[in-house]
Amino acid sequence: MAALTPPAGTAAQPARQPARQPSVRRRRPRLWRGAVALIAVLYFLGPMLASVIFTVDVPGQGFTLDSYSGILGAEGFGSSLRLTLELAAATIAVTMLLLVPALVAVRLTAPRLRVLVEVLCSLPLVVPAVALTAGISSVLQWGPDDFADTPLFETFNTIQNPSFPVVLLLAYVLMALPLAYRTLDAGLRGLDLGTLVEAARNCGASWPRAVVQVVLPNLRGALLNTGFLTLALVLGEYTVASILGYQPFAVWIVSIGGSDAQMSVSVSVLSLVLTWVLLLLLAAAGRGPSARTPRASRGARTTFGARGARTRPAAPAPTVQEKS
């Protein structure tokens, strides 16, 4: 048999060599990662561990938990904590009611006003807390000086009621605006807001219903983060409340430190642990239930294509009959 030769004009191609697989390099453990983690642990947990040792190790008595057991019976603990939680809940509600409709309306109807809203919400970062409190005190002095014979005098007295100081609530809302705006704006950027609202409106939903039932469920993570940041701000705020003469939880901790330092430190440790627990709970709630693929959808993958269109079987190729 004659040897098979390639046609003229074509050179014999060499045999294909199998592709070399890239060599997998073993990753060596990097010591700097462990060093950074160790420094972070010492930085965050070191002061807290020292505080715990200070509260349980009493000179002359040894190990004791009297500083923790006496917290609930301490004078002013229940009233200060209740006032702080009430202020925190009201601050979160007012901040949400102000920002969520405003940001949704700006994104849908007036996108050019986004820069103006951002600047207005960021102004409290520029004004120090002491300067803000000095301005609030000057405004509150208008009541007895200029409005003593008018109905507004009672309004000035009402907003300064020690049982629930509305003036402190307004100050907290101003201080929470920058944090809340950044969190909610990041959440809205991840949504196709126009498409969601337009689809809800086409289904017959009103504007409030579209925001409550369509927009808010998609902003669950951003809303939870905003609530947590606002709660942490109210729990730890001291300057405004102390200058205005009120005693929420942070001011009570400082005031009790003059008479019982160990109890003051123990309350601080418990408040820090409570804040961490709330952060973990909000993080778990923000993830939501894991999406599981039902069996029906698994079976549907075999009959539906990648884009959801039903795949049809290929038609048989036409046969050509030979002429006899």
Side-chain angles (χ1 to χ4, degrees), residues 46-57 63-64 67-68 265 269:
M48 187 173 180
L49 180 61
S51 301
V52 172
I53 294 175
F54 175 75
T55 56
V56 299
D57 188 10
F63 181 82
T64 178
S67 59
Y68 291 94
V265 176
V269 171

Side-chain angles (χ1 to χ4, degrees), residues 16-30:
R16 294 182 179 180
Q17 298 180 356
R20 296 181 179 179
Q21 297 181 355
S23 59
V24 180
R25 298 180 179 179
R26 296 180 179 180
R27 297 182 179 178
R28 298 179 180 179
R30 299 180 180 180

Side-chain angles (χ1 to χ4, degrees), residues 111-186:
R112 296 182 180 180
L113 296 179
R114 289 177 55 187
V115 178
L116 178 61
V117 174
E118 182 178 1
V119 171
L120 292 177
C121 292
S122 301
L123 281 179
L125 292 176
V126 183
V127 182
V130 177
L132 177 63
T133 310
I136 294 175
S137 301
S138 300
V139 173
L140 293 178
Q141 290 178 0
W142 294 353
D145 295 341
D146 301 330
F147 300 99
D149 299 332
T150 61
L152 291 178
F153 181 73
E154 294 296 332
T155 303
F156 277 87
N157 290 335
T158 303
I159 64 175
Q160 300 181 65
N161 188 3
S163 61
F164 187 81
V166 180
V167 61
L168 203 57
L169 169 64
L170 298 178
Y172 287 165
V173 170
L174 288 177
M175 297 173 65
L177 279 180
L179 302 176
Y181 173 80
R182 294 296 179 185
T183 309
L184 293 175
D185 184 67

Side-chain angles (χ1 to χ4, degrees), residues 220-313:
R220 180 179 60 180
L223 294 175
L224 290 175
N225 293 331
T226 303
F228 172 75
L229 292 176
T230 307
L231 176 63
L233 173 67
V234 176
L235 285 176
E237 203 286 321
Y238 171 79
T239 305
V240 178
S242 62
I243 295 177
L244 293 179
Y246 300 104
Q247 195 177 26
F249 193 59
V251 179
W252 178 81
I253 292 177
V254 177
S255 63
I256 200 177
S259 58
D260 193 347
Q262 289 184 339
M263 182 176 292
S264 174
V265 176
S266 62
V267 173
S268 302
V269 171
L270 290 180
S271 63
L272 184 59
V273 172
L274 178 62
T275 304
W276 285 359
V277 171
L278 289 176
L279 176 61
L280 295 177
L281 291 178
L282 290 177
R287 295 176 184 177
S290 59
R292 298 180 180 179
T293 305
R295 296 182 179 179
S297 61
R298 293 178 183 176
R301 292 181 182 178
T302 59
T303 57
F304 285 81
R307 295 184 179 181
R310 185 180 293 272
T311 57
R312 298 178 179 179

